[in-house]
Amino acid sequence: MINMPISQQQLDLWLADLNLIADISSCKATLLTWSAVDELSCLLYSDAVVENEIQAILTQLSGRKVINANSTTASPAFTADRYIKDHAAQNTTILDKRVSLSEPISQSPPLEVSQHCTFLSPSQLSTLVGKAELITDTQLHPAWCTCTPVGSVIFISLSWPSETNFGFLCFYHNDPQGIDGKTFQLAKLVGESIQRQLADILRQYNVAESLNRGTPNHIDVIDLQSFIDSFDEHIWMKNTDGIYTLCNRSVEQAWAKSRSEIIGRTDVELFGADAADIYLEGDRFAIESGTPIIVAECLEGAEPKQHLWLETLKLPTFNATGDFAGVIGMTRNISKHKAVEDQLTLATNVFKHSFEGVVVTDRHGNITDVNGAYFEITGYTREELLGQNSRILSSGRHDKTFFDTLWNTLLINGKWNGEIWNRRKNGAIFPQNISISTIYDEVGDIRYFVAVFADISAQKQNEAQLTHLAYFDPLTQLPNRMKFMMQLKQEVRRAKQLNLQLATVMIDVDLFKHINDSFGHSIGDEMLVELAKRLRSQVEQQDVLSRIGGDEFVVLITDINSGEEATLATNQLRQVFDQPFIVSTGDHLRLTASMGVSLYPNDGQDADTLLRNADAAMYCAKNDGRNNYAFYTESLTQLSLEHLKLQSALYGAIEQNALYLMYQPKLDLVTRKTVGFEALLRWHDPLLGLISPAVFIPIAEKVGLIHDIGLWVLETACRQGMRWLRDGKYFGRIAVNVAGQQLQRSSFVDDVKRVLAETGLPAKHLELEVTESVMMQNPEVAIRDLKRLGDLGIELSVDDFGTGYSSLNYLKKLPIHKLKIDQSFVRDIPFDTNNTAIAKAVIALGHALKLDIVAEGVETQEQADFLLQNHCDQAQGYLFSRPQLPQDLDKFLS
């Protein structure tokens, strides 16, 4: 296991979370972790846990026994290979360990000493636990009926980011049925929280270790290959897929293969499936333990001198960010006889059991032997092939030059590797990855040729599918940005050679977000697919149409002679927006687009410049009122008009009365009565038009205006509340969002007090919404200030709950009254199982903490019904009302 220091502060936070869930659910909780020798122990436990209960759980999970090789339970002929095969069905595993994990290699006991430790490995136990994370009655469970102190139990597996096992989160009750689904949802929240913190711990530890080690003196450092080549031991490395990426000269000599034959191959390809299973078993133990292990294989003969040994030190390796990178091994051949015997056994097993087809021919190419996989791949029987020339499989796709080169390389170098298209018995042509080797006799004459090949038909299909996914948009099937840039670069080179002109047309659909917000993303996708079809119909065969973003398309128009031709082509593209788009709901919707055009060579000499300048021209068209097109001018890029205009205009937005508030009602889900409004900031600049908060809020934060704007929003909302009260209109509470920079100011609480005093709005009519990520930046200060605000009578809400990370311990301490489920979790319920599970868990957690739950972004009746069935208290969204101006809200005011 990874031996990573965990601070006492972190342990205290985990313990607080365990105690919180235990108190809420009236159960007991413990955190079990794996030691360096794969033993479970208790790291933390809640207040009510009794020692004998923990001992009973550990005994239930991690019993083991030791069988000495010389005892009566193991016969002299007992081998590691045989043990694994005999016990595979019993989910047991084996390691022949000649030294313990804590011993240095130099202190190994004599070779004659060996032992077999049988126990459930961390991965096997995690698998068993995963099959039954929640057991409501242990007496009815065959594996738990003997664990009498525990009546019901929840087990959640925990692991490091490298997939090395960390341990288990255990919640249990002494009585059956004491644990239920609500507790399970809360437990999963704690488990996910610990997983994220384990990733942070590992990342911070690796960064610190890297800094402490310093930089090596490169004057004295030799390259890695030279370093490992100086060792007599066999040194190699595999990546996460089990493919060899490194080996030294000793490995090449011992395996009788060149480095090129080893690198890029797996154990199965090099040694056969049977041997590979043993090697991969050792790899798995090294990965699970997170520490170096010694794997010793022993094939015992009739006498001790005939014992054959091979010993390998294996250890997992990680990259600088702590992610698992592969397995490093150092192997010593203890016995030359074992090496010879292993090679013979390996050759036989490879030939008989390999998934690859193997064919042996004489020096004239006539087939003398084939393996079973060969029959399955080609469709021929053994009798049909023996004595036939290997040309029987020829597909006719390769010319004489290809085979002349193949045989010339084979005769000179003794081996050839590549791809060949051959023909099956049924006539189907298929691709092979084939390696052909020459076998010589004692005097150096060619005796046999051995070919090993794999049918890579599926691989070719997968490559084609991956290529399509990499280069084409999955929605419209148009080339994506990467593919378009490749084609644009190619056309630029061609245009340069032939002295041609090109036009790059950037197309951005105007205000497409309104379609998604009003009709939903599925309708938006329908319109994008139809738009792609219309645009494709307007471009020539040699032109390129691509979708490079959500509502952004780009067209490459080739072989033009003037700007007039580019104008004509652009006007043809604009015609696709003349007709309405008829969607599945029956609605007739219209779209417009802003287009920007850049020309080669005048507006750019390379692909990147052309695309960038077309984009700049498109934004110019958008600023001129949309539904238009513009050609690129160099001043657009140099001035960066958009950002500068926004930044400058924002400084005067308050004085010019360009900012205003809209209000979205919040309703009680049961009674459908209004319980409050959320104040939403809008900006309509006299020159720039309506600007989205998603655009100008980040700019306000960047230039330091967010505090002044936030106070204006608070004052304006409070004054509106007072107008409603004076008119006798009841509205519950007005909710105002608080930015992170506002809450971090030491004067924020005093500012709120001043606003309430100046406007006269009673505190009971004000609600402040703060995101969980803002509160967690400095939780102690947040708790202090929010308590002061709560003491005034202001209601406090946690906005966008679930999108950040909140310690449950801090969440319990916060003086909050509501949790708002973020609309990203509401959007796909009740059809998305992950979002429904999260929504249920948040509702259960909030109610356990005696908080009201508010769901935002409710757009459909199905979402509202699901939330109501799961006891969500309040909701807001387009299903009930869009954000509106104050004068339009009379029907929501009583």
Side-chain angles (χ1 to χ4, degrees), residues 518-537:
S518 302
F519 295 91
H521 288 272
S522 61
I523 298 298
D525 288 347
E526 285 184 32
M527 299 183 70
L528 290 174
V529 172
E530 175 61 23
L531 176 57
K533 292 179 181 178
R534 294 185 183 185
L535 290 172
R536 192 185 290 112
S537 68

Side-chain angles (χ1 to χ4, degrees), residues 617-825:
M618 179 270 293
Y619 275 104
C620 180
K622 193 175 289 290
N623 289 336
D624 288 342
R626 300 186 176 89
N627 193 23
N628 198 357
Y629 70 90
F631 280 78
Y632 169 76
T633 59
E634 188 175 356
S635 61
L636 292 177
T637 301
Q638 294 176 344
L639 295 177
S640 302
L641 289 176
E642 292 307 314
H643 186 81
L644 292 175
K645 286 181 180 179
L646 284 174
Q647 184 172 321
S648 300
L650 192 57
Y651 278 99
I654 297 178
E655 291 77 6
Q656 296 172 1
N657 295 319
L659 297 178
Y660 63 98
L661 295 183
M662 300 186 78
Y663 299 85
Q664 186 173 41
K666 297 181 185 179
L667 279 70
D668 185 293
L669 270 175
V670 177
T671 65
R672 297 300 171 96
K673 292 184 178 180
T674 305
V675 294
F677 295 90
E678 181 177 359
L680 299 171
L681 178 62
R682 297 293 184 263
W683 178 22
H684 188 281
D685 186 82
L687 298 178
L688 302 178
L690 185 64
I691 303 169
S692 168
V695 174
F696 70 80
I697 290 297
I699 296 176
E701 292 177 339
K702 184 176 180 180
V703 300
L705 289 175
I706 193 64
H707 182 69
D708 293 337
I709 292 176
L711 281 180
W712 179 88
V713 171
L714 181 63
E715 292 174 1
T716 304
C718 290
R719 295 188 190 281
Q720 180 60 53
M722 282 301 300
R723 282 193 288 272
W724 280 335
L725 291 177
R726 284 194 295 268
D727 293 341
K729 298 177 179 179
Y730 176 77
F731 58 88
R733 293 179 182 266
I734 293 181
V736 177
N737 289 280
V738 177
Q741 295 180 15
Q742 288 181 270
L743 191 61
Q744 292 168 10
R745 282 208 176 190
S746 58
S747 62
F748 177 69
V749 176
D750 294 331
D751 290 337
V752 174
K753 290 180 179 179
R754 177 181 56 79
V755 170
L756 290 175
E758 291 177 355
T759 62
L761 181 72
K764 67 178 181 179
H765 290 294
L766 179 62
E767 177 183 335
L768 297 180
E769 294 186 3
V770 185
T771 62
E772 57 176 331
S773 57
V774 168
M775 292 186 293
M776 290 301 103
Q777 291 175 0
N778 194 344
E780 287 80 8
V781 174
I783 291 172
R784 182 198 65 197
D785 289 347
L786 293 178
K787 280 185 176 179
R788 292 174 61 194
L789 293 170
D791 292 341
L792 298 175
I794 298 172
E795 198 165 80
L796 303 170
S797 300
V798 179
D799 196 14
D800 300 338
F801 184 73
T803 59
Y805 160 67
S806 296
S807 166
L808 296 180
N809 184 43
Y810 282 124
L811 190 62
K812 182 182 69 171
K813 296 178 181 178
L814 288 170
I816 57 177
H817 306 87
K818 294 179 182 177
L819 292 182
K820 295 191 71 176
I821 306 176
D822 184 67
Q823 60 182 346
S824 62
F825 299 130

Side-chain angles (χ1 to χ4, degrees), residues 398-409:
H398 303 286
D399 56 18
K400 183 176 181 297
T401 303
F402 174 84
F403 286 106
D404 288 343
T405 303
L406 184 156
W407 284 107
N408 186 58
T409 302

Side-chain angles (χ1 to χ4, degrees), residues 409-425:
T409 302
L410 190 59
L411 294 174
I412 293 175
N413 300 330
K415 59 189 66 178
W416 182 89
N417 174 260
E419 290 186 7
I420 291 181
W421 288 81
N422 272 334
R423 189 182 302 274
R424 307 184 204 273
K425 182 181 178 180

